């Protein structure tokens, strides 16, 4: 399952280690996450659903979907896609007996449910008391997610108070650009990311980017991540904190945990939130079957860890993510059976579609996926034609044999931190979901809190970098750095971004942005 | 906009073609990029002012007389939408970007694919820009039937035993 040769990426694998999955040894390499190592070993069922014990597998690979919760070294409910392998690590599936792969509880559940439906434990087995206590204990044994932790934290927890000019949350294209431009203007910056590396989702973008040369068009996403990381390394006034999770913004104070053992209290003058987005799923029969994956999850597995997701894939959605993923799968030697697109036309750039079409991949426009077929993992998919009213046309069902399905229908902003910070939010479908109101430089309704990148509205990495630059430089200006030169740079990027969005692909974004622009809303009020 | 339903261009949707005389003179860039997308590396890479673009979203327009076939644009195009075309001594040549393993070798016979992925014949690789010299995008020139230079848009390596 591990890729050795790839036309674009050279996979650097660390030392070989052994981890134990439900007691069985599994070979892994340092630098791999537990989820990817298990996947490479052919393990497909990662967990069971809470209620009906349906098998669940890998999905997003970036810690957003909770499909991969397992017990790691005695601690329950760990997202194994965010944990890196260590020699001798013990991993156990939870909520299942004897394990998630062959779970008897699902069977038991269907019988028990018939006689004692949901809620009946409030009324049944109440008397005598001894019976109630016995039954309650048994029910508690089955319920809940995972067993209680078997060990307590033994390390030395520490605390650090940091005073700085700018706190940047998220080290993807937007966050890195914000940090660089604020630091260049002279601001002292702390840049935090939950991963042990910077780059966000750029690290899996093996294709060359669009846009203008000034914004690194023609360069591969993976190289842009390296270039930005190098620029950050050179700037001595950026303090990078890896594996740091920000959990809240309290009246301008940022709370975070570094490497699970150090509490950070950050007192910045300004904050840039660049937390990115998470993948959406789609409603269809069996959409939780192992083998139905997020498009980004597959990119992570394949382009970051060099692990083949399967042999034949079906792509749902023909936006740029779906088209690019198709091309990347083929580069890894994996067959793509088809791309299905519910809209009557291809959603992404034509040139991306042409790239895979000339290699013989069929694109079904006006079709959607109706169900995933398979018992414990995907064996095929059924697609169906849609009429003008988006209803399935009977008799047009087609079976497509595949062993995995990629959902590439879009993303939603990771907005929770902004909500918690008190930013005024609005649901804007054009921008992918809940997004904050902001002014032309990205400052939200909470003074000093900026937003940039996909969390401000789903777009793409080039726009995210421009938004990051604008937010970073504006924050620096407001603190008092940069002078006229900074003002000039800021206006230049604002102009470039405006021009970038002027074409038909920017129309949707621009119409969405109008609804959250503080300037436009004030104008409408006046 | 029906190419957006199919995913490939039909004959009547192709950009204006360079003349036969021009193709016989020297290689020329042919850009199949009809849609308005925010992208401009081709025009930025052109030293001969052969590409016109009103703004970053406008589709590129070629001036075939100014193009000298230097291949800078084909190296950077993120859409892999540029092809170098040439007619010489009764043979046709197409140079295209290629990012798949195994890397083609000079002298090798390959299967030719059109825009729909259909096999339209076989051709011979006459030149390869090694992938490491262009950040892993190799350029491959194939010698083909001259009537096919506006059809052949991809190649497939013939597997052993095929």
């Amino acid at each position: 399952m591990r890729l050795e040769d790839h036309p674009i990426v050279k996979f650097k694998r660390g030392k070989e280690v052994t981890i134990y999955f439900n007691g069985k040894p599994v070979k892994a390499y340092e630098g791999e996450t537990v989820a990817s190592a298990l996947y490479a070993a052919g393990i497909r069922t990662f967990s069971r659903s809470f209620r009906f014990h349906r098998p669940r597998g890998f999905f997003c690979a970036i810690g957003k979907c909770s499909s991969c919760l397992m017990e790691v070294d005695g601690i329950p409910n760990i997202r194994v896609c965010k944990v890196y392998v260590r020699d001798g690590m013990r991993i156990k599936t939870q909520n299942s007996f004897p394990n998630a792969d062959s779970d008897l509880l699902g069977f038991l559940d269907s019988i028990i449910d018939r006689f004692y439906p949901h809620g009946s434990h409030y009324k049944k087995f109440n008397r005598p008391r001894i019976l109630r206590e016995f039954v309650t204990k048994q029910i508690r044994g089955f319920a809940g997610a995972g067993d209680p932790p078997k060990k307590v934290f033994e390390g030395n927890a520490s605390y650090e108070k940091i005073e700085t000019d700018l706190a940047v949350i998220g080290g993807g294209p937007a966050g890195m650009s914000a940090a660089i431009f604020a630091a260049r203007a002279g601001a002292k910056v702390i840049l935090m990311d939950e991963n042990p590396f910077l780059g966000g989702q750029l690290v899996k973008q093996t294709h060359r980017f669009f846009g203008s040369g000034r914004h690194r068009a023609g360069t591969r996403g993976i190289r842009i991540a390296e270039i930005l990381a190098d620029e950050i390394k050179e700037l001595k006034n950026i303090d990078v904190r890896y594996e740091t999770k920000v959990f809240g913004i309290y009246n301008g104070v940022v709370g975070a945990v570094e490497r699970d053992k150090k509490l950070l209290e950050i007192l910045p003058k300004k904050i840039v939130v660049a937390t990115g987005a998470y993948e959406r799923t789609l409603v269809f029969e069996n959409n939780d079957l192992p083998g139905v994956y997020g498009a980004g999850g597959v990119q992570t597995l394949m382009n970051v860890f060099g692990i083949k997701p399967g042999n034949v894939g079906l792509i749902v959605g023909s936006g740029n993510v779906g088209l690019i993923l198709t091309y990347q799968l083929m580069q890894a030697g994996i067959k793509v059976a088809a791309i299905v697109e519910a809209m009557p036309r291809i959603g992404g750039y034509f040139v991306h579609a042409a790239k895979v079409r000339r290699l013989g991949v069929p694109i079904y426009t006006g079709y959607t996926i109706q169900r995933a077929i398979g018992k414990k993992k995907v064996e095929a998919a059924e697609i169906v034609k849609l009429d003008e009213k988006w209803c399935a046309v009977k008799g047009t069902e087609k079976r497509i044999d595949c062993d995995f399905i990629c959902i590439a229908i879009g993303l939603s902003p990771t907005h929770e931190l902004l909500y918690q910070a008190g930013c005024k939010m609005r649901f804007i479908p054009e921008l992918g979901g809940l997004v904050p109101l902001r002014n032309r430089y990205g400052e939200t309704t909470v003074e000093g809190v900026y937003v940039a990148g996909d969390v401000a509205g789903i777009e793409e990495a080039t726009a995210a970098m421009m938004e990051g630059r604008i937010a970073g430089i504006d924050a620096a200006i407001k603190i008092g750095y940069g002078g006229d030169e900074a003002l000039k740079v800021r206006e230049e990027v604002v102009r470039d971004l405006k021009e970038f969005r002027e074409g038909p692909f920017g129309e949707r974004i621009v119409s969405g942005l109008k609804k959250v622009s503080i300037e436009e809303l004030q104008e409408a009020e006046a | 906009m029906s190419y957006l339903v199919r995913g490939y261009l039909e004959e009547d949707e192709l950009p204006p073609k360079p003349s036969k005389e021009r193709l016989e003179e020297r290689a020329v860039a042919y850009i199949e990029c009809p849609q308005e997308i925010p992208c401009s590396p081709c025009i930025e890479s052109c030293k001969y002012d052969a590409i016109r673009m009103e703004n970053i979203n406008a589709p590129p327009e070629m001036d075939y007389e100014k193009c000298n076939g230097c291949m800078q644009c084909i190296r950077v195009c993120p859409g892999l939408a540029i092809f170098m075309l040439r007619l010489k001594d009764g043979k046709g040549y197409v140079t295209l970007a290629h990012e798949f393993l195994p890397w083609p070798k000079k002298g090798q016979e390959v299967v030719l694919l059109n825009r729909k992925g259909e096999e339209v014949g076989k051709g011979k690789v006459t030149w390869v820009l090694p992938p490491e010299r262009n950040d892993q995008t190799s350029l491959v020139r194939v010698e083909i039937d001259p009537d096919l230079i506006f059809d052949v848009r991809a190649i497939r390596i013939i597997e052993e035993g095929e």
Side-chain angles (χ1 to χ4, degrees):
Chain A
M1 291 308 281
R2 284 187 178 84
L3 291 161
E4 295 304 328
D5 299 314
H6 190 280
I8 314 294
V9 192
K10 280 195 179 66
F11 300 109
K12 286 170 269 170
R13 297 200 168 94
K15 211 175 80 198
E16 193 181 314
V17 295
T18 306
I19 58 172
Y20 295 88
F21 178 69
N22 288 333
K24 285 196 196 89
V26 170
K27 193 176 83 171
Y29 295 93
E30 270 177 4
E32 285 180 344
T33 59
V34 171
S36 54
L38 293 178
Y39 198 93
I43 291 151
R44 294 291 172 271
T45 312
F46 281 14
S47 63
R48 287 275 168 168
S49 73
F50 186 68
R51 179 80 181 93
F52 292 107
H53 291 267
R54 289 170 63 85
R56 294 266 162 92
F58 175 90
F59 185 79
C60 81
I62 51 167
K64 313 270 188 186
C65 77
S66 302
S67 230
C68 64
L69 294 183
M70 290 186 202
E71 188 180 298
V72 177
D73 288 338
I75 304 166
N77 299 325
I78 302 285
R79 299 166 300 173
V80 296
C81 66
K82 299 299 292 182
V83 178
Y84 291 82
V85 295
R86 269 192 329 269
D87 200 31
M89 208 174 213
R90 296 201 164 261
I91 294 116
K92 219 180 102 196
T93 49
Q94 51 188 39
N95 285 6
S96 52
F97 178 83
N99 57 53
D101 194 45
S102 45
D103 182 22
L104 297 176
L105 297 183
F107 174 65
L108 205 65
D109 213 50
S110 61
I111 299 173
I112 293 178
D113 209 56
R114 198 170 303 164
F115 301 103
Y116 305 109
H118 187 64
S120 63
H121 60 285
Y122 291 114
K123 293 179 204 149
K124 284 177 181 164
F125 312 115
N126 268 342
R127 266 178 225 111
R129 198 178 132 195
I130 189 152
L131 177 69
R132 184 176 75 223
E133 278 170 2
F134 174 77
V135 172
T136 307
K137 205 175 165 204
Q138 300 312 312
I139 290 174
R140 283 190 180 147
F142 280 113
D147 298 331
K150 292 177 189 66
K151 63 175 194 183
V152 288
F153 181 71
E154 283 164 354
N156 280 326
S158 55
Y159 162 79
E160 188 183 348
K161 191 168 173 171
I162 302 163
E163 283 187 41
T164 187
D165 288 324
L166 180 67
V168 180
I169 304 163
M176 291 168 96
S177 304
I180 292 167
F181 273 64
R184 278 193 192 152
K188 200 175 146 206
V189 181
I190 181 167
L191 172 61
M192 292 165 278
D193 194 89
E194 59 173 342
N195 295 299
F197 52 84
L198 290 176
Q201 307 313 311
L202 286 176
V203 299
K204 58 195 187 193
Q205 309 304 337
T206 54
H207 60 286
R208 291 172 189 268
F209 274 35
F210 287 68
S212 76
R214 200 151 27 141
H215 300 286
R216 306 187 205 287
T219 309
R220 297 187 190 279
I222 43 174
R223 312 272 183 256
I224 296 176
E226 291 164 7
I227 294 167
L228 294 177
D230 286 346
E231 284 178 10
I232 285 172
K233 221 178 272 166
E234 301 226 321
L235 288 160
K236 298 293 167 240
N237 47 344
I238 303 180
D239 175 10
V240 183
R241 301 292 176 115
Y242 298 98
E243 290 178 71
T244 299
K245 292 161 193 145
V246 174
F247 55 79
I249 300 170
Y250 310 97
N251 288 331
V253 180
V254 178
V257 175
E258 188 178 356
R259 296 184 203 272
D260 285 338
K261 48 187 164 222
K262 192 195 236 179
L263 181 66
L264 305 182
E265 182 188 6
I266 302 149
L267 306 160
K269 295 194 178 106
K270 305 276 176 196
I271 300 165
V272 175
V273 178
T275 46
Y278 44 74
E279 291 198 84
R280 281 195 207 150
T281 186
L282 183 67
V283 179
F284 59 89
E285 192 182 321
N286 268 342
N287 70 352
D288 62 342
L289 196 65
V292 178
Y293 307 139
V298 169
Q299 284 185 315
T300 302
L301 195 63
M302 177 172 67
N303 298 343
V304 179
F305 298 111
I307 294 163
K308 279 172 88 166
N311 295 316
V312 185
L314 172 75
I315 313 294
V316 181
S318 74
N320 279 334
V321 173
L323 298 172
I324 291 167
L325 174 63
T326 305
Y327 188 72
Q328 293 175 347
L329 282 163
M330 298 176 87
Q331 286 182 308
I334 298 156
K335 204 174 162 244
V336 176
I339 301 172
V340 291
E341 167 60 57
M343 297 284 283
R345 62 185 198 100
I346 291 160
Y349 295 167
F350 164 73
V351 285
H352 278 314
K355 267 194 240 181
V356 295
R357 198 64 191 77
R358 63 181 175 243
L359 297 171
V361 178
I363 303 174
Y364 293 100
T365 47
Y367 272 82
T368 192
I369 180 166
Q370 185 148 275
R371 62 192 179 104
I373 300 166
K375 222 167 161 221
K376 258 162 69 179
K377 57 184 185 200
V378 169
E379 286 156 24
E382 189 177 86
I383 65 166
V384 68
K385 201 172 170 55
L386 296 172
D387 62 19
E388 317 79 74
K389 288 179 190 145
W390 300 87
C391 294
V393 181
K394 276 230 164 71
T396 59
E397 297 87 358
K398 249 193 235 286
R399 181 189 158 107
I400 295 195
D401 288 318
C402 55
D403 60 357
F404 68 103
I405 297 165
C406 300
I407 308 296
I409 57 155
L411 306 162
S412 288
T414 310
H415 62 266
E416 292 81 357
L417 212 47
L418 292 161
Y419 227 124
Q420 183 270 333
C423 302
K424 219 177 247 169
M425 310 287 287
R426 211 168 251 192
F427 186 86
I428 308 290
E430 294 96 319
L431 300 178
L434 273 169
V435 289
L437 305 191
R438 85 293 303 259
N439 70 14
R440 61 193 303 239
Y441 304 123
E443 190 169 0
T444 65
T445 52
V446 175
E447 206 199 320
V449 176
Y450 288 77
V451 68
D454 269 359
V455 65
I458 305 302
E459 212 171 336
E460 43 88 274
T462 307
M465 286 188 272
M466 292 196 235
E467 283 186 345
R469 291 174 182 190
I470 296 167
I473 205 156
D474 189 62
I477 290 167
K478 299 276 160 70
I479 303 169
Y481 293 105
D484 289 348
E485 179 58 27
L487 284 169
K488 211 182 102 204
V489 175
R490 183 185 68 184
E491 294 315 311
E492 241 172 52
V493 188
V494 169
R495 208 170 44 240
D496 282 352
L497 183 55
K498 187 168 173 288
E499 197 195 8
F500 184 84
R501 286 172 175 154
E502 259 161 13
F505 275 90
E507 259 171 39
R508 203 176 141 80
I509 303 288
V510 171
S511 88
L513 287 173
K514 271 195 183 136
K515 299 177 195 167
V516 286
S517 149
I518 291 173
E519 290 91 351
E520 297 240 4
L521 292 171
Q522 276 169 351
E523 217 168 275
E525 239 169 64
Chain B
M1 299 275 271
S2 47
Y3 58 83
L4 274 180
V5 177
R6 298 186 301 263
Y8 56 87
L9 295 170
E10 289 279 23
E11 186 65 27
D12 60 337
E13 291 164 332
L14 291 179
K17 291 178 180 175
S19 64
K20 192 162 173 278
E21 294 72 44
R22 173 63 187 84
L23 286 163
E24 278 168 351
E25 206 177 298
R26 57 180 191 275
V28 65
Y30 190 65
I31 308 186
E32 299 186 4
C33 182
Q35 192 184 25
E36 286 181 60
I37 54 173
C39 189
S40 60
C42 58
I43 185 168
E44 288 157 14
S45 71
C46 184
K47 292 182 202 127
Y48 303 93
D49 197 23
I51 305 172
R52 259 169 309 158
M53 201 184 264
E54 271 169 38
N55 58 63
I56 188 170
N57 274 289
E61 281 173 47
M62 278 297 295
D63 184 336
Y64 297 123
E65 293 316 310
K66 285 186 184 166
C67 175
N68 93 330
C70 74
M71 300 205 293
Q72 281 306 312
C73 55
I74 175 171
R75 292 171 74 128
V76 295
C77 175
L80 311 188
I82 309 180
F83 306 88
M84 303 299 302
L85 310 181
R86 171 90 160 109
L87 294 173
K88 194 183 175 189
D89 304 330
K91 294 212 173 87
Y93 296 87
V94 173
T95 309
L96 41 85
H98 189 82
E99 299 181 323
F100 292 90
L101 292 177
W103 297 114
K105 289 185 193 78
K106 192 177 164 183
Q108 198 173 15
E109 192 175 52
V110 291
V111 173
L112 308 171
L113 305 172
N114 67 10
R115 295 184 186 83
K116 297 181 221 177
E118 295 163 346
E119 295 184 6
V120 290
K122 283 182 182 163
K124 203 175 93 186
V125 176
T126 58
W127 174 81
V128 175
L129 175 73
E132 62 273 16
R133 296 218 354 235
N134 189 34
D135 194 11
Q136 301 307 108
T137 304
S138 179
L139 300 183
V140 180
R141 184 173 303 143
V142 281
E143 186 180 270
I144 58 172
D145 177 346
D147 293 337
L148 290 177
I149 60 165
F150 288 103
D151 289 311
V152 171
R153 288 300 172 258
I155 56 162
R156 186 169 64 76
I157 305 289
I158 300 168
E159 282 167 42
E160 268 177 60
E162 199 179 322

